[in-house]
Amino acid sequence: MNVFPDILPMSSWLPVVSPPFVIAGPCSAESEEQVLSTARELAKIPQVRVFRAGLWKPRTRPSSFEGVGKRGLQWLAKVKAETGLLTTVEVANPRHVEEALSHGIDILWIGARTVVNPFSIQEISEVLQGVDIAVMVKNPLNPDIKIWIGALERLNQAGIRKLIAVHRGFSFFAHTPYRNSPMWEIPIELKRLYPELPVLVDPSHICGETSLLFPVAQKALDLEMDGLMIEAHIRPEEALTDKEQQITPENLKMLISSLVIREEYGTIEFENKLEELRSEIDKLDEELIDILGRRMKIVEDIGKYKKENNITILQLKRWSQIIRDRVDTGVRIGLSREFLLKLLETLHEESIQRQTEVMNRNH
Ligand code: PEP
Ligand code: MN
């Protein structure tokens, strides 16, 4: 079933003049001077078509800077009048929507913390009923594609036909180099399910710092995503929010000009499939390492137990039985005998080493 029957292609309402399509601007609007001087520089970059700035900031703790609120809307109106850039702000409730609409904001965006709540999305959709405006929907913090789709669907059912999904990475328990793990398989799946839905990538919130922005932006383009949203600030070191991940307009310009746009078509299916398979491998490797860690922990416990009971470390009968058993099982599922023996040998060596350490501890 096509859940987005009447979504408009982005090219029909926001033609890309100079690819890639880029939305840029500070994480937060902080002052009129900061907003306007950032926008003036960004407007010189042909790929930047839309100026972003957060006015109502969702913060983890109440004492943090929570945004300038609606007075920033006038600054954005000036940006539009002076530079010709379109403007976009984050909205989290019907009041934000009404204020943004009354100040001529071109595109609304719904943030990762709001998307998770269907009540909020429903309320926002209700005030948007019958309004001709573009809405971008960021993915929720947790890696659940259904929540993302559900929010897009609610807005579409309220009559929003200019819809865009924005991939900004997901909270993930394991340690990764990213602030929010990209889990590319999720935006790829979204594209596979709804090829008509434009998907932008927000490298700033994926990376959380500036050194990884380029490879993530390049990857987004290689995966045929429809554009980028990147945080830029005239003086990043003074930013009141997301200081580490913002770049100057000048650095953004360099970043964009280093990006390679693939010309050849027909490879994207291959890339997507490869990416899917690779992320499966990543997950399995993580599990493998976790299992090995757990195995070694038990090996140590056995070592302690043997020590308390004065039993030797190496017990040949047990070891021969393990080899026979594991090789049989492995061969049955198509692994080679030689590989299995090498693997078991390595495991055994490390286990003996661990137990020896336990034995030698003098307590
Ligand atoms: C932002 O774009 O500044 C923002 C708060 O994003 P997210 O909702 O993705 O965290
Ligand atoms: Mn931000």
Side-chain angles (χ1 to χ4, degrees):
M1 191 190 74
N2 186 355
V3 290
F4 302 122
D6 57 359
I7 204 164
L8 293 172
M10 209 169 83
S11 58
S12 72
W13 57 273
L14 193 58
V16 178
V17 184
S18 178
F21 169 69
V22 178
I23 297 177
C27 178
S28 301
E30 295 162 5
S31 69
E32 181 169 344
E33 183 276 328
Q34 170 248 9
V35 165
L36 280 158
S37 54
T38 306
R40 282 182 195 126
E41 291 309 307
L42 291 174
K44 295 179 189 161
I45 308 174
Q47 289 87 352
V48 176
R49 296 289 314 285
V50 182
F51 182 79
R52 61 150 283 156
L55 305 180
W56 299 280
K57 297 305 293 181
R59 303 311 303 278
T60 308
R61 301 196 54 196
S63 50
S64 319
F65 171 69
E66 290 186 310
V68 295
K70 73 174 177 191
R71 82 199 154 96
L73 289 165
Q74 277 134 31
W75 309 339
L76 290 174
K78 281 193 185 167
V79 165
K80 186 172 174 175
E82 198 187 302
T83 67
L85 291 169
L86 300 179
T87 55
T88 180
V89 296
E90 174 173 352
V91 292
N93 61 42
R95 182 174 56 83
H96 297 161
V97 172
E98 275 157 6
E99 287 175 354
L101 292 177
S102 70
H103 284 77
I105 294 293
D106 302 286
I107 305 173
L108 307 176
W109 98 72
I110 297 174
R113 288 156 194 79
T114 308
V115 171
V116 288
N117 185 345
F119 289 121
S120 300
I121 301 298
Q122 187 57 34
E123 279 177 13
I124 291 173
S125 300
E126 278 163 24
V127 283
L128 284 174
Q129 191 83 44
V131 179
D132 179 22
I133 183 117
V135 183
M136 302 192 284
V137 181
K138 288 202 169 191
N139 63 261
L141 296 174
N142 52 321
D144 184 339
I145 194 172
K146 292 207 191 81
I147 296 179
W148 201 3
I149 295 169
L152 288 157
E153 246 177 325
R154 255 178 233 276
L155 287 155
N156 191 230
Q157 282 174 12
I160 299 297
R161 301 181 64 196
K162 298 171 187 165
L163 262 185
I164 298 179
V166 181
H167 170 45
R168 47 81 74 206
F170 299 91
S171 287
F172 188 48
F173 65 91
H175 185 73
T176 74
Y178 305 103
R179 177 182 180 190
N180 291 291
S181 170
M183 298 184 181
W184 292 105
E185 68 277 14
I186 297 179
I188 287 172
E189 176 65 1
L190 190 68
K191 267 195 160 297
R192 191 187 65 79
L193 290 170
Y194 312 111
E196 67 280 18
L197 179 71
V199 182
L200 305 184
V201 174
D202 170 347
S204 304
H205 289 88
I206 290 175
C207 298
E209 50 122 329
T210 57
S211 72
L212 295 166
L213 288 175
F214 176 76
V216 169
Q218 182 62 59
K219 177 129 186 167
L221 299 187
D222 291 345
L223 293 173
E224 291 245 318
M225 298 293 158
D226 300 272
L228 303 166
M229 186 200 268
I230 300 182
E231 285 186 345
H233 190 296
I234 194 75
R235 294 175 296 274
E237 67 286 356
E238 291 174 15
L240 298 178
T241 56
D242 286 351
K243 191 191 211 148
E244 294 78 23
Q245 72 194 30
Q246 302 201 58
I247 54 174
T248 59
E250 195 186 339
N251 285 339
L252 178 67
K253 189 177 176 177
M254 286 200 295
L255 186 154
I256 293 173
S257 58
S258 314
L259 291 169
V260 179
I261 298 177
R262 280 179 195 250
E263 296 294 345
E264 71 265 40
Y265 290 93
T267 63
I268 198 62
E269 237 172 52
F270 167 80
E271 289 282 354
N272 285 354
K273 183 73 196 164
L274 191 66
E275 191 55 43
E276 236 179 274
L277 294 171
R278 281 182 178 155
S279 50
E280 266 178 58
I281 292 271
D282 290 350
K283 263 190 237 146
L284 288 176
D285 284 352
E286 239 166 62
E287 278 176 42
L288 254 176
I289 289 168
D290 184 57
I291 288 173
L292 286 174
R294 277 157 45 203
R295 190 188 195 280
M296 287 305 159
K297 177 87 194 38
I298 296 176
V299 162
E300 281 196 21
D301 290 344
I302 293 178
K304 276 182 212 145
Y305 194 54
K306 283 181 182 166
K307 184 180 180 181
E308 283 159 15
N309 292 280
N310 250 335
I311 306 286
T312 56
I313 294 179
L314 184 62
Q315 292 180 303
L316 276 175
K317 232 173 79 194
R318 162 83 177 146
W319 177 234
S320 317
Q321 180 215 329
I322 286 189
I323 300 242
R324 228 177 305 122
D325 234 308
R326 309 299 192 259
V327 170
D328 276 358
T329 315
V331 167
R332 233 176 290 135
I333 60 164
L335 298 172
S336 84
R337 229 189 125 69
E338 200 197 348
F339 167 67
L340 288 162
L341 285 172
K342 246 196 273 177
L343 183 69
L344 290 166
E345 202 57 63
T346 310
L347 265 179
H348 191 231
E349 224 174 85
E350 175 72 4
S351 305
I352 297 272
Q353 174 65 27
R354 290 279 183 125
Q355 294 200 353
T356 311
E357 275 166 27
V358 172
M359 288 284 178
N360 292 344
R361 267 178 224 153
N362 38 11
H363 48 80

